[in-house]
Amino acid sequence: MAQEETKVKMLYQVWEGNNKFLFEGRLIFGPEVRPLFIVILAIAGPAIGFCVNLNCIIRQKIEEHEDASSLYLILLIGSLLTILVLTLLFLTSSTDPGIIPRGSSKPLDESLDMTNTYAKTPSLSIPKTKEVTVNGRKVKVKYCKTCSIYRPPRASHCSICNNCVQRLDHHCEYLGQCIGLRNFRLFFFFISTTTILFIYISVCSWINLHKRDVASIVLAGYCFIAAWIVGFFTIYHCHMICTNETTHENLSTFEEEDNPYNKGILQNIKEVMFSNIPFPPPLVVDFQSIVDQGDILPLQWTPT
């Protein structure tokens, strides 16, 4: 009896992917979290430096009996933008990107050798692809040997996280997390608000350059370059939203004219940014569910 009890664990504890879990599976990170701290430093560093520098300028104006009310407003806006960006960064990197449940490890055909596993037996005759209809057009879906499922349309397997992810856009090495159906909006809001933050700091610091303030010069230059870099990704993903494409599809799957998901700019924006995905997104995989160590999730998507 005691031995049976020891087998009972939460799903996140026996999950075969490479994710890192916190708070009993409520927070889901990618396998590598060190780049995330570098990104936090790259954003929070200049933002904090800007606030400290601006605070020094405010104190100087107060000592000189000058009006500093406008600078207080600039400081408040900068602080709120920084908090918003860091919050979106945390939510993007800790949210389930749309991990798809793994399939059963048992053979599809019960007459086959039950001593071998469904996912690892090369002799099982499982078609590599199947065709499904999407918006009146035929689209091939691939079988994933690792996850033992036919991947839904637009899903892909991330070799870094070792998961199939719904509408996988890309694996973001800077956040250490996949960007998929359930955290793409958070990711887009993160990069767009980060661009705004860097532009804001750069412009406000540039205004103080007439005083030859070294800190303002450094902040203006750093944030100007950073705004161009992050802004490029923001513009790129704006284009992807308008064409209803993922980065993975844009680079490897189909040409723009062959995109079966393109419904026109307005409809694409509505589908990608305003479709009914509640916040926080409902988990496809319940990582807090209780499972036996020997069990494999029986749930899988099957093309019709």
Side-chain angles (χ1 to χ4, degrees), residues 33-218:
V33 295
R34 281 178 293 183
L36 180 60
F37 292 105
I38 297 176
V39 172
I40 293 174
L41 181 63
I43 296 173
I48 293 173
F50 170 73
C51 292
V52 171
N53 185 50
L54 190 58
N55 187 57
C56 292
I57 296 174
I58 291 174
R59 287 187 176 183
Q60 183 179 352
K61 282 188 172 292
I62 292 175
E63 290 175 359
E64 295 173 355
H65 303 288
E66 297 182 18
D67 182 25
S69 57
S70 61
L71 295 180
Y72 278 115
L73 180 60
I74 294 173
L75 179 61
L76 176 62
I77 294 174
S79 301
L80 292 176
L81 272 174
T82 302
I83 293 172
L84 176 60
V85 167
L86 294 177
T87 301
L88 288 169
L89 170 60
F90 174 77
L91 291 174
T92 304
S93 59
S94 64
T95 298
D96 174 14
I99 298 172
I100 301 172
R102 279 167 157 75
S104 172
S105 63
K106 297 179 181 180
L108 292 175
D109 187 349
E110 295 296 331
S111 64
L112 295 172
D113 184 5
M114 296 297 289
T115 61
N116 294 321
T117 60
Y118 169 42
K120 300 178 181 179
T121 304
S123 61
L124 292 179
S125 180
I126 301 175
K128 292 182 179 180
T129 62
K130 284 191 176 183
E131 283 191 345
V132 297
T133 302
V134 177
N135 297 328
R137 299 173 65 179
K138 295 291 185 180
V139 175
K140 288 185 177 181
V141 295
K142 296 181 179 179
Y143 181 78
C144 178
K145 293 182 180 180
T146 303
C147 298
S148 301
I149 59 168
Y150 280 100
R151 294 195 289 261
R154 316 197 79 178
S156 293
H157 187 87
C158 174
S159 59
I160 299 174
C161 294
N162 195 29
N163 295 312
C164 280
V165 177
Q166 295 180 84
R167 203 181 187 277
L168 178 66
D169 189 87
H170 69 289
H171 179 90
C172 183
E173 295 182 356
Y174 302 105
L175 303 184
Q177 176 68 293
C178 286
I179 306 301
L181 175 67
R182 301 180 180 280
N183 65 350
F184 175 80
R185 294 177 190 176
L186 291 170
F187 171 76
F188 179 76
F189 290 140
F190 162 66
I191 59 175
S192 56
T193 52
T194 301
T195 302
I196 294 171
L197 174 63
F198 282 139
I199 292 174
Y200 182 81
I201 295 176
S202 180
V203 171
C204 292
S205 298
W206 185 267
I207 294 174
N208 293 322
L209 291 185
H210 67 279
K211 298 180 180 180
R212 296 188 179 182
D213 181 6
V214 177
S216 295
I217 294 174
V218 173

Side-chain angles (χ1 to χ4, degrees), residues 14 27 62 87 106 147 204 215 228 239 265 269 295:
V14 298
L27 300 181
I62 292 175
T87 301
K106 297 179 181 180
C147 298
C204 292
W228 272 103
H239 173 69
I265 294 178
I269 294 173
D295 287 349

